């Protein structure tokens, strides 16, 4: 990853971890806990791709494993977020453009369910049976609901910031391809950024043509 991507990823992961430990973990909600760290990994993976998503997920999970009051084996959540980051990055379109909110929302729900299952599965391998006492079904349902409610306020913003560190010629050309988060942020407005750019270019060409005709008339 480039330096600017690395710096942004570190800053977002640290902020998410602090908020996760100091605020979200203390809400005492029934079932699971809203996972802001997972939202950061998913948002960055949807922009940077599967390789960067796996690296970011591993680093974020390892910090979560080592940060107090972690009560599980180090590396457990790192493995989970590494897999989730890799799989979420596979959902990134080749042109970097997401036209609707369906893809990121589906990725968020799948990541919430997948991370809970992976975490419980790895815990079963190392002898941690906490998920059995709480109820795996309840954890899956509440994790999906909490993360789905948290996603609209976090993932689009994370994707927008990540796009600023990406120099993608496809998104900067005049062909009308917009930001990766633009489809989500503007999904409810019905506006298309590419169409607006095309209209502006067409209007500029029309003004230039009219100016040329006026000059020709004056010369005559």
């Amino acid at each position: 990853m480039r330096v600017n991507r690395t710096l942004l990823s570190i800053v977002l992961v640290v902020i998410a971890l602090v908020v996760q430990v100091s605020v979200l973990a203390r809400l005492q909600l029934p079932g699971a806990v809203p996972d802001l760290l997972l939202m950061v990994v998913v948002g960055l993976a949807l922009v940077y791709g599967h390789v960067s998503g796996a690296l970011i997920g591993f680093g974020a999970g390892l910090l979560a494993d080592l940060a107090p009051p972690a009560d599980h084996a180090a590396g457990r959540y790192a493995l989970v977020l590494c897999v989730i980051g890799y799989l979420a990055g596979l959902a990134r379109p080749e042109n970097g453009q997401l036209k609707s909110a369906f893809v990121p929302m589906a990725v968020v729900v799948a990541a919430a369910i997948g991370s809970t299952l992976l975490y419980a599965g790895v815990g079963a391998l190392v002898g941690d049976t906490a998920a059995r006492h709480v109820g795996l079904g309840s954890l899956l349902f509440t994790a999906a609901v909490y993360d789905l409610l948290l996603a609209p306020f976090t993932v689009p913003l994370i994707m927008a910031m990540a796009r600023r560190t990406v120099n993608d010629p496809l998104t900067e050309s005049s062909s009308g391809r917009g930001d990766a988060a633009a489809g989500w942020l503007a999904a409810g407005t019905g506006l298309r950024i590419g169409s607006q750019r095309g209209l502006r270019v067409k209007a500029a060409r029309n003004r230039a043509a009219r100016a040329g005709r006026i000059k020709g008339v004056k010369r005559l």
Side-chain angles (χ1 to χ4, degrees), residues 11-121:
V11 170
L12 292 178
V13 166
V14 170
I15 293 175
L17 182 60
V18 171
V19 175
Q20 183 77 34
V21 173
S22 61
V23 178
L24 297 179
R26 300 173 183 266
L27 294 179
Q28 296 182 351
L29 296 173
V33 176
D35 199 339
L36 183 58
L37 204 59
L38 180 66
M39 298 297 102
V40 171
V41 172
V42 169
L44 294 178
L46 286 174
V47 178
Y48 294 154
H50 59 282
V51 175
S52 297
L55 294 175
I56 294 170
F58 179 81
L62 188 60
L63 286 178
D65 288 332
L66 299 177
D71 56 354
H72 55 267
R76 180 176 172 184
Y77 201 47
L79 174 61
V80 171
L81 287 188
C82 180
V83 175
I84 295 298
Y86 181 86
L87 295 178
L90 295 177
R92 176 183 180 270
E94 294 182 358
N95 59 4
Q97 182 183 15
L98 295 174
K99 296 182 179 180
S100 69
F102 175 78
V103 172
M105 294 297 277
V107 172
V108 167
V109 174
I113 296 175
S115 62
T116 304
L117 287 174
L118 283 173
Y119 189 82

Side-chain angles (χ1 to χ4, degrees), residues 2 5 9 14 16 26-27 41-42 46 54 61 87 104-105 109 127-128 131 136-137 141 155 161 178 180 184 190 202:
R2 298 178 180 179
R5 298 188 189 185
S9 301
V14 170
R26 300 173 183 266
L27 294 179
V41 172
V42 169
L46 286 174
L87 295 178
M105 294 297 277
V109 174
D128 184 359
L136 184 58
F141 177 76
V155 177
M161 289 188 291
W184 192 345
K202 186 177 181 181

Side-chain angles (χ1 to χ4, degrees), residues 121-137:
V122 175
L125 293 177
V126 298
D128 184 359
T129 59
R132 297 180 182 177
H133 299 290
V134 178
L136 184 58

